[in-house]
């Protein structure tokens, strides 16, 4: 009987952990995996060091320290360790990208990958999207223009990864509404890439690569936002060519 009870408890705990994993913010989850991996690696390094196996313990210790952001031999030596766990190993000096529609302004932090937004018009103008739950936000979709719908759906994809599976009817989750409001201006392109006017081709390329990693579907990204980032890069590169 104790074995049966322990088995039931283990199944319940495992199921709960899987549900938490599904609902977790991918960016936060990636950071947690990186930190957890660093801690575990350092613990293994300490254990093997106590046993006298220094040839194994030292490299493991250096690797674990690199995952936690500490590079004993300089940041250049271990700057790429973070890429093993997503794009956390690359920093972008506090850059923030902005995408604006009629009803919504969305911001993406390059460092953390955090997506935030606020209403620009309508009854909730000036309020953060974080203040509202899923039913409240989903109820707004039918009343928005196509571009605002696409932005709101991108936000919901990041905050509530399974929301489309649970959405009822045709009023939510429709990617077919995604559209652009015409030719993108240079000012919009700089805002989307988080760059200052006059940025060079190398800066444009670097910002584009960083954002595409953050917006990849496997990282909880958005097809619509990724398309806007691509359009911003193309717009600015055309300006440079001309």
């Amino acid at each position: 009987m104790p074995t049966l009870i322990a088995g039931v408890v283990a199944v319940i705990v495992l199921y709960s952990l899987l549900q938490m994993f599904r609902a977790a913010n991918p960016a936060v989850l990636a950071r947690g995996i990186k930190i957890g991996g660093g801690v575990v690696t350092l613990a293994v390094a300490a254990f093997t060091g106590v046993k006298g196996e220094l040839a194994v313990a030292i490299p493991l210790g250096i690797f674990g320290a690199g995952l936690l952001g500490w590079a004993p031999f300089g940041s250049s030596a271990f700057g790429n360790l973070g890429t093993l766990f997503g794009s956390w190993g690359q920093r972008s000096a506090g850059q923030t990208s902005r995408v604006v529609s009629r009803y919504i302004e969305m911001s993406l932090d390059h460092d953390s990958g955090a997506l935030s937004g606020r209403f620009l018009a309508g009854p909730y103008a000036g309020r953060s999207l974080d203040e509202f739950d899923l039913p409240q936000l989903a109820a707004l979709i039918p009343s928005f223009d196509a571009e605002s719908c696409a932005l709101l759906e991108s936000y919901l994809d990041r905050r509530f990864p399974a929301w489309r599976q649970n959405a009822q009817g045709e009023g939510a989750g429709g990617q077919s509404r995604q559209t652009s409001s015409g030719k993108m201006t240079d000012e919009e392109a700089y805002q989307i890439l988080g760059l200052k006017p006059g940025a060079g081709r190398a800066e444009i390329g670097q910002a584009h690569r960083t954002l595409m990693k953050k917006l990849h579907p496997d990282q909880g990204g958005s097809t619509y936002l990724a398309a806007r980032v691509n359009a911003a890069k193309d717009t600015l590169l055309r300006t440079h060519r001309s």
Side-chain angles (χ1 to χ4, degrees):
M1 182 62 69
T3 302
L4 177 60
I5 294 175
V8 172
V9 171
V11 170
I12 293 174
V13 171
L14 180 59
Y15 177 78
S16 300
L17 289 175
L18 288 174
Q19 291 299 107
M20 291 172 60
F21 184 86
R22 283 185 58 195
N25 184 315
V28 175
L29 185 61
R31 186 176 187 181
I33 292 175
K34 181 182 175 184
I35 293 175
V39 172
V40 171
T41 303
L42 286 177
V44 173
F47 178 75
T48 54
V50 169
K51 293 176 62 177
E53 300 176 8
L54 297 181
V56 176
I58 292 176
L60 280 177
I62 294 174
F63 181 73
L67 290 178
L68 294 176
W70 179 63
F73 301 109
S75 58
S76 60
F78 298 94
N80 293 324
L81 286 177
T83 58
L84 295 174
F85 295 90
S87 56
W88 286 92
Q90 297 181 355
R91 296 294 178 182
S92 47
Q95 287 176 296
T96 301
S97 294
R98 293 174 60 246
V99 181
V100 179
S101 69
R102 178 182 175 186
Y103 288 97
I104 295 176
E105 176 187 61
M106 200 76 70
S107 298
L108 176 71
D109 184 89
H110 290 207
D111 289 344
S112 66
L115 191 66
S116 60
R118 66 186 181 95
F119 291 108
L120 297 177
Y124 305 121
R127 296 181 63 179
S128 169
L129 273 63
D130 293 343
E131 300 178 35
F132 301 86
D133 59 21
L134 175 58
Q136 291 173 313
L137 293 172
L140 295 172
I141 293 177
S143 63
F144 282 176
D145 63 285
E147 195 163 9
S148 297
C149 282
L151 278 179
L152 181 54
E153 289 174 2
S154 298
Y155 172 82
L156 294 178
D157 287 339
R158 178 66 65 92
R159 184 176 166 190
F160 306 103
W163 79 276
R164 293 181 188 274
Q165 301 172 18
N166 302 322
Q168 299 297 321
E170 299 296 327
Q175 290 288 345
S176 61
R177 288 188 297 253
Q178 295 183 8
T179 183
S180 174
S181 57
K183 185 177 180 180
M184 183 179 293
T185 66
D186 287 357
E187 181 181 1
E188 289 177 308
Y190 282 122
Q191 287 182 347
I192 291 172
L193 293 179
L195 298 173
K196 295 180 180 180
R201 296 177 65 91
E203 293 175 278
I204 294 169
Q206 177 60 44
H208 175 264
R209 287 190 294 272
T210 299
L211 287 171
M212 292 306 290
K213 289 178 181 179
K214 303 291 185 184
L215 296 173
H216 191 279
D218 291 343
Q219 298 292 329
S222 159
T223 302
Y224 171 75
L225 291 179
R228 296 293 283 170
V229 169
N230 282 329
K233 182 197 72 170
D234 292 341
T235 297
L236 295 182
L237 290 182
R238 279 197 299 269
T239 301
H240 277 275
R241 283 195 294 268
S242 61

